[in-house]
Amino acid sequence: MKPTLLVLAAGMGSRYGGLKQMDGVGPCGETIIDYSIYDAVQAGFGKVVYVVREYFKEQMEQHCREKYGNVKCIDGTPLEFVFVTQELSKIPARFTLNPQREKPWGTAHAVLMAKDVIKEPFAVINGDDYYGKESFRVLGDWLRAHENTTGQFCLVGFRLDHTLSESGGVSRGICESNAEHLLTKVEECHNIMKEADGNCYGDNSVTGAVHQLFDATAPVSMNMWGFTPDYFAKSEAVFEAFLEQNINELKKEFYIPFAIDNMIHSGEGTCEVLETPSHWFGVTFKEDRPAVVAKFKELADNKIYPSPLYE
């Protein structure tokens, strides 16, 4: 069984100032998604599903044909690509969309756009985040081991100090788990940074604590998930309940952690927290770009990746 990689690439990049999904940051113009797909193929994935917006779907499809047309899976078969679109109007028929709403419905809604094209265990990632080779290997192994299970999901937990920015404080979802490594809670914390004493400090939005000391090794969620196909039906039920409460809201979004938290507390599923030694990095603002370019150059110089990445 070859798991599928679901890439969330529908974000409009308003803070960044353009389509991050198409921005070449590698030594030979590679995008961050290019590296994720390379790592996923090496980890045994067999299909890539893109969630995009309709207005740039054709541009992304052309990019894939040109970049990955000759890419083979580890068993020698061609890598498969599918595109689905996320639009505000794609909600259950019994709901009427508020015509004033412009904001997308969020990451969990984006995942639901792929329910008709994914029938196997799958990973979910952000299109503008670099997760590292080991993260894909760990996640691919977990997905293959859970081919015939239901109600068991996972997230890859990155060490907090492996996700920080040198240019300022960041927001992170800090994960708590039980003795079986099953997720029990995610606390949203903000303005986290490593300070002169080498420790990590930030603000806890749950407790209200300001300048709280955090464990640098605590696992955090960077939106890298593993799901079995039954996730779609379970998440769809949670989405309907969400819409019943929020259909007329203009900014509320349906996020993956919200869907998972509902499944955990209703007994519909569990979520294992996987460990990875990889360092995460990504581009949120244009000011982040030079550091990301430098990191990919370093990875190429150290022969971690070939350059160019694809021939």
Side-chain angles (χ1 to χ4, degrees), residues 5-311:
L5 178 66
L6 178 61
V7 180
L8 304 183
M12 299 177 71
S14 57
R15 289 178 297 175
Y16 186 65
L19 285 179
K20 288 184 285 185
Q21 303 91 330
M22 305 298 294
D23 189 15
V25 291
C28 296
E30 295 90 352
T31 66
I32 293 180
I33 295 176
D34 290 342
Y35 287 94
S36 292
I37 290 175
Y38 183 92
D39 289 340
V41 169
Q42 297 297 310
F45 286 71
K47 181 168 72 176
V48 178
V49 177
Y50 276 96
V51 183
V52 297
R53 299 296 292 274
E54 187 64 47
Y55 77 93
F56 64 85
K57 178 172 178 279
E58 184 176 346
Q59 186 180 2
M60 290 289 285
E61 287 182 322
Q62 181 179 349
H63 172 81
C64 286
R65 284 194 298 270
E66 294 173 352
K67 188 65 68 79
Y68 317 119
N70 297 318
V71 174
K72 297 289 193 297
C73 302
I74 56 175
D75 64 359
T77 59
L79 183 64
E80 182 182 352
F81 284 89
V82 180
F83 288 81
V84 297
T85 58
Q86 180 188 20
E87 303 297 340
L88 286 177
S89 58
K90 292 188 174 182
I91 58 176
R94 68 186 181 92
F95 295 99
T96 301
L97 182 67
N98 185 332
Q100 292 183 303
R101 185 179 175 101
E102 298 177 356
K103 196 172 183 65
W105 286 109
T107 54
H109 176 252
V111 173
L112 282 173
M113 300 302 95
K115 66 177 182 174
D116 294 329
V117 300
I118 297 179
K119 307 301 179 186
E120 59 284 320
F122 64 102
V124 175
I125 64 167
N126 290 336
D128 52 6
D129 290 347
Y130 173 81
Y131 294 100
K133 289 177 175 289
E134 283 301 301
S135 303
F136 283 97
R137 184 192 62 77
V138 166
L139 186 48
D141 288 346
W142 188 95
L143 291 168
R144 281 184 287 272
H146 290 78
E147 180 180 6
N148 297 311
T149 64
T150 59
Q152 297 181 52
F153 313 124
C154 72
L155 70 82
V156 177
F158 288 74
R159 278 178 50 140
L160 174 61
D161 62 353
H162 287 179
T163 72
L164 300 180
S165 170
E166 297 174 0
S167 57
V170 297
S171 296
R172 294 289 178 257
I174 298 180
C175 304
E176 293 186 13
S177 56
N178 61 21
E180 287 75 44
H181 305 289
L182 298 179
L183 184 69
T184 56
K185 181 169 63 170
V186 178
E187 285 194 346
E188 276 297 324
C189 301
H190 307 286
N191 303 316
I192 304 174
M193 65 180 72
K194 184 175 286 188
E195 299 189 5
D197 63 1
N199 292 317
C200 299
Y201 299 90
D203 305 332
N204 191 318
S205 64
V206 177
T207 64
V210 177
H211 201 248
Q212 175 181 330
L213 173 66
F214 291 107
D215 178 0
T217 68
V220 300
S221 170
M222 301 307 297
N223 217 38
M224 189 179 201
W225 303 86
F227 298 132
T228 46
D230 59 299
Y231 168 86
F232 289 118
K234 292 178 170 65
S235 180
E236 201 160 35
V238 179
F239 185 44
E240 293 216 11
F242 170 87
L243 289 177
E244 286 173 359
Q245 299 293 320
N246 298 289
I247 188 60
N248 289 313
E249 294 287 338
L250 299 182
K251 294 186 177 181
K252 286 248 186 165
E253 295 186 51
F254 181 52
Y255 294 117
I256 296 172
F258 176 85
I260 290 296
D261 185 67
N262 270 265
M263 294 176 204
I264 291 172
H265 287 96
S266 68
E268 287 284 310
T270 60
C271 184
E272 184 176 352
V273 181
L274 308 181
E275 294 183 358
T276 177
S278 296
H279 287 244
W280 171 96
F281 58 86
V283 179
T284 301
F285 304 101
K286 274 200 177 292
E287 291 75 17
D288 299 323
R289 191 178 187 278
V292 169
V293 169
K295 286 175 181 175
F296 279 123
K297 183 179 185 303
E298 180 182 353
L299 289 169
D301 289 346
N302 292 332
K303 309 300 182 185
I304 304 299
Y305 293 102
S307 185
L309 193 59
Y310 300 99
E311 297 291 349

